Amino acid sequence: MSGFSQIGVAGAGVMGAEVAQVAATAGHEVVLLDLSDEVLNRARSGIRSNLRFQRMFAEGAPAVNAEEVLGRITFTTSAADFAEVEIVIENITEKWDAKEDLYRRLDRICADSTVFAVNTSVIPITKVGAVTGRMDRVIGTHFMNPVSRKPTVEVIRGHHTSDETVSVTLGMLESLGKRGIVVQDSPGFVSNRVLMLTVNEAIFLLHEGVATAEQVDDIFVTCFGHAMGPLATADLIGLDTILYSIEGLYEHFNDSKYRPCPLLRRMVDAGLHGCKNGAGFFQYANSGSRKGIS
């Protein structure tokens, strides 16, 4: 179990709930933190549903008792419940003010030895570490969505991250059945410096009327063998998260290639956030069927 008696997961949205689910399924005791009972109750229901249906998506997967897994998760709105966790995996919004406030609070609450694992799309790990008193124990763990079906995690080493922290983090990921690929700190790291440009440019193609959403994604799936096209990927991640990420890259690099497409801004303003609320570049019915926008 890689020596962890408790793992803290901050943020019970889609990503945080899946991280908690995977950790608890692996046998870890998990403390799942969010601001409201409403979000936590939604996470609990989502985890229960995921566990009941996961064998449909993973052929040969062992049977999992959903209630046993949920029994290993403590759902809480109190950050004080992180006092005894040995690693915190943070998954809150990609807004710096929110992250800064959370890490300052957790730095006071958690033991000095606790590792802070930042699950972020673009925010530099060194910047996060600088607001804590444990810069050597802050590391990036960029999980991919859906967490339960992605075997690899992008691990980001900040300027001060110690060898021990890297080793501990890789051991934790191994205990979850994940492989970590360690890269150096940079806004967007490897995955999102490439992915966000691709997604944003795909949105520009739609915005300019060059192709429909179905056509854009069909080219990437059938010509390049991608499992999903860039627009379906954006819907899965969440268009609000995509916008925060591309804005973050633009801010950090001050490079016009990261300017967000006006269509992306308009869709986020309209509340079209993708899979999380049923409508983005594609419409998501209860059956999971999709209809793209032209």
Side-chain angles (χ1 to χ4, degrees), residues 21 57 60 78 85 98 109 111 118-119 131 145 157 174 176 191 209 223 231 235 264 278 280-281 285:
Q21 172 191 318
F57 299 102
S78 174
V85 303
I109 291 167
V118 190
N119 188 8
V131 303
N145 193 12
R157 182 174 196 147
E174 184 178 0
L176 304 185
S191 58
C223 294
L231 298 178
D235 278 351
L264 174 62
F281 294 107

Side-chain angles (χ1 to χ4, degrees), residues 1 7 9 17-30 69 72-73 89 147 172 175-176:
M1 212 65 66
I7 292 177
V9 178
E18 279 234 7
V19 171
Q21 172 191 318
V22 168
T25 300
H28 294 285
E29 295 294 322
V30 177
V69 172
R72 287 193 283 271
I73 303 175
I89 304 172
V147 178
M172 180 273 294
S175 78
L176 304 185

Side-chain angles (χ1 to χ4, degrees), residues 14-15 18 143-147 150 228 236-238:
V14 173
M15 181 66 75
E18 279 234 7
F143 287 84
M144 309 295 169
N145 193 12
V147 178
K150 298 294 184 179
M228 298 176 69
L236 181 63
I237 294 170

Side-chain angles (χ1 to χ4, degrees), residues 125-278:
I125 304 308
T126 303
K127 182 176 181 178
V128 176
V131 303
T132 76
R134 64 186 77 213
M135 290 188 287
D136 61 321
R137 291 182 294 285
V138 178
I139 192 168
T141 51
H142 185 202
F143 287 84
M144 309 295 169
N145 193 12
V147 178
S148 59
R149 285 186 272 160
K150 298 294 184 179
T152 307
V153 175
E154 186 179 33
V155 176
I156 304 96
R157 182 174 196 147
H159 184 81
H160 296 285
T161 305
S162 68
D163 291 342
E164 180 183 3
T165 297
V166 173
S167 178
V168 165
T169 302
L170 292 176
M172 180 273 294
L173 293 173
E174 184 178 0
S175 78
L176 304 185
K178 310 292 183 187
R179 180 171 71 99
I181 298 177
V182 182
V183 302
Q184 299 303 308
D185 196 15
S186 173
F189 325 122
V190 172
S191 58
N192 277 337
R193 279 187 65 175
V194 176
L195 176 63
M196 293 303 157
L197 281 173
T198 303
V199 168
N200 197 48
E201 202 61 28
I203 300 170
F204 267 110
L205 290 169
L206 187 62
H207 178 61
E208 295 165 8
V210 175
T212 66
E214 291 95 337
Q215 290 170 330
V216 170
D217 277 14
D218 194 21
I219 287 171
F220 278 84
V221 172
T222 61
C223 294
F224 300 121
H226 292 190
M228 298 176 69
L231 298 178
T233 299
D235 278 351
L236 181 63
I237 294 170
L239 302 193
D240 51 340
T241 300
I242 294 290
L243 180 57
Y244 294 148
S245 297
I246 198 76
E247 286 177 331
L249 288 167
Y250 183 81
E251 176 186 350
H252 286 297
F253 289 110
N254 195 27
D255 191 327
S256 62
K257 70 183 179 183
Y258 294 111
R259 79 276 185 230
C261 178
L263 175 59
L264 174 62
R265 288 192 186 280
R266 187 165 74 242
M267 292 178 70
V268 172
D269 287 344
L272 304 176
H273 293 174
C275 296
K276 65 177 72 177
N277 65 356

Side-chain angles (χ1 to χ4, degrees), residues 60-73:
V64 175
N65 186 311
E67 299 310 315
E68 284 185 9
V69 172
L70 285 167
R72 287 193 283 271
I73 303 175

